[in-house]
Amino acid sequence: MEKFMKEAERVLKPKGCVALYCNDVPHILGYDNCPENPARIVQEMFALLEPYENKEQKTAWNEYKEIFDAITFPDKERAEDIFIKFKKPVSWIKGYLKSFGVYQIYLKKDPENADASMDQIEQRLINALGGSSETIVEFSIKYFCLLASKHE
């Protein structure tokens, strides 16, 4: 972070702005009475990837709290409660996870289990929701961002 702040200090004009954003785990909305909790299944999908995370990914899942504390510009703030809702097929969540760099590490280290575990969890999600991989569900993703501006 120290290197980043030195570079930001160097390249930003006075009152220049740094903006960082990321998002939390997607949540499926409106399925409270399922035989198995869809939110727990999605959490398990993310938990599968946890052993393959690096320090930067763990920082993102902590909503950049460490980064915020490390920003040396005096004018800074967090925006934490930005939610976006959208509808996608159930299969979207698996594709979303497979796009993560951490999944690619898992796939490289254990290709058989990586694909099989994602398929198994997707099937559990389909069973819990009572549909197919193309069943449309509503997702919500929480975004958060850090804003900071360089002094004059």
Side-chain angles (χ1 to χ4, degrees):
M1 189 64 200
E2 185 179 326
K3 265 174 98 172
F4 173 80
M5 285 309 302
K6 281 183 183 178
E7 185 65 4
E9 182 71 40
R10 186 184 73 78
V11 300
L12 286 177
K13 294 179 180 181
K15 296 186 180 181
C17 183
V18 172
L20 304 170
Y21 85 98
C22 199
N23 60 279
D24 202 352
V25 176
H27 295 278
I28 296 175
L29 302 174
Y31 287 88
D32 299 332
N33 297 322
C34 292
E36 189 175 8
N37 184 337
R40 188 173 337 179
I41 296 169
V42 171
Q43 288 290 345
E44 285 179 31
M45 290 175 112
F46 277 87
L48 271 174
L49 303 177
E50 194 172 336
Y52 304 96
E53 290 177 345
N54 60 31
K55 183 181 181 235
E56 290 78 14
Q57 289 151 334
K58 289 179 182 182
T59 298
W61 294 128
N62 193 23
E63 298 186 358
Y64 288 168
K65 288 180 179 148
E66 294 168 23
I67 293 174
F68 182 77
D69 293 340
I71 292 174
T72 57
F73 297 152
D75 186 17
K76 62 183 181 179
E77 72 178 75
R78 295 177 53 84
E80 299 178 2
D81 292 326
I82 306 164
F83 291 90
I84 296 178
K85 294 179 184 178
F86 55 94
K87 293 182 180 183
K88 293 281 185 189
V90 172
S91 60
W92 173 84
I93 191 75
K94 185 170 117 178
Y96 177 73
L97 283 170
K98 284 186 164 189
S99 73
F100 283 28
V102 69
Y103 176 78
Q104 299 304 314
I105 295 167
Y106 180 27
L107 185 61
K108 193 177 222 179
K109 290 186 177 186
D110 192 357
E112 258 183 56
N113 282 331
D115 280 335
S117 59
M118 285 292 164
D119 290 343
Q120 180 185 29
I121 288 178
E122 180 187 35
Q123 191 57 52
R124 283 178 51 211
L125 195 54
I126 290 166
N127 292 343
L129 297 171
S132 73
S133 64
E134 296 311 306
T135 299
I136 302 295
V137 295
E138 188 171 24
F139 290 92
S140 174
I141 296 183
K142 176 184 175 184
Y143 286 83
F144 50 91
C145 63
L146 307 180
L147 302 168
S149 63
K150 184 177 175 181
H151 48 81
E152 291 188 47

